[in-house]
Amino acid sequence: ELGVVLRFGKYTRDAKPGLNYHLPYPIETVLTPKVTVVQPIHIGMRLTEDPRRGTQVRDVPEESLMLTGDENIVDVDFTVFWVVKSGGAGDFLFNIQNPQGTVKAVAESAMREVVGRSEIQAILTGARQATETAVHELMQRVLDNYQSGIQITQVQMQKVDPPAQVIDSFRDVQAARA
């Protein structure tokens, strides 16, 4: 944790771990955001814990269906990992209202932009690492423009497939091309 000291409700300084002093409540208050915890956001899927069956994955198509540059639809499930930047706790607390929602919206938008510039064959086969890197860089640039105090640590693509309704037809077309 890192202490963010407010004097009469105005941000004054960060309090590093260790022995620190601040004036009593009406004058100063301290907020302690967790800056070392890596937080995941799953997009296109929901993980549900069931004590009898274990972890279940439920697909969310309104988040994961995307249009590629060659006008095909692809189903992309991915996970974004983020932390609060060092020295960015004040920005994290006061510049964005809903950090989880902001990161999720930026991640979805960045992935749609990168997928929209790519062709389906590249996304399904070899360009996984390049897509993850491009999404990571675009997300970090947008979050820095927002002055959010958030650092994206990793973008992981979980599942990339054509939509479930057309996957058999898609495989037939790919086999015919081969």
Side-chain angles (χ1 to χ4, degrees):
E1 292 181 343
L2 179 75
V4 177
V5 180
L6 307 175
R7 183 171 293 148
F8 298 114
K10 182 181 178 191
Y11 171 77
T12 56
R13 69 183 189 278
D14 289 339
K16 302 291 181 205
L19 186 60
N20 290 291
Y21 177 77
H22 70 89
L23 298 173
Y25 166 67
I27 299 169
E28 286 186 345
T29 56
V30 178
L31 302 173
T32 55
K34 298 196 182 316
V35 296
T36 59
V37 177
V38 177
Q39 300 190 29
I41 294 180
H42 305 288
I43 298 169
M45 61 187 166
R46 294 290 176 272
L47 300 177
T48 54
E49 294 290 330
D50 188 0
R52 284 176 269 160
R53 293 185 216 147
T55 304
Q56 299 277 323
V57 178
R58 183 175 54 90
D59 195 35
V60 183
E62 52 271 0
E63 292 177 358
S64 63
L65 291 177
M66 300 178 193
L67 192 63
T68 63
D70 56 353
E71 297 178 358
N72 286 303
I73 296 176
V74 67
D75 187 4
V76 180
D77 294 344
F78 63 104
T79 305
V80 175
F81 298 94
W82 62 277
V83 294
V84 177
K85 275 185 180 179
S86 61
D91 289 339
F92 173 74
L93 287 172
F94 304 120
N95 286 351
I96 54 174
Q97 191 172 28
N98 178 5
Q100 280 298 101
T102 301
V103 171
K104 184 174 182 177
V106 168
E108 216 176 307
S109 173
M111 183 61 80
R112 287 184 193 282
E113 182 176 331
V114 171
V115 167
R117 284 189 264 136
S118 306
E119 293 186 2
I120 193 167
Q121 203 59 39
I123 294 169
L124 293 175
T125 56
R128 189 180 203 103
Q129 182 68 34
T131 303
E132 289 174 353
T133 304
V135 170
H136 181 272
E137 290 170 357
L138 182 59
M139 282 183 67
Q140 192 60 57
R141 195 167 49 245
V142 169
L143 290 169
D144 289 345
N145 285 342
Y146 290 169
Q147 295 178 344
S148 63
I150 292 175
Q151 177 72 42
I152 302 298
T153 57
Q154 186 179 13
V155 175
Q156 265 185 0
M157 294 173 72
Q158 304 294 333
K159 178 183 73 104
V160 181
D161 285 326
Q165 300 89 340
V166 298
I167 195 162
D168 294 329
S169 302
F170 184 82
R171 287 188 180 136
D172 290 342
V173 168
Q174 294 303 319
R177 280 188 187 158

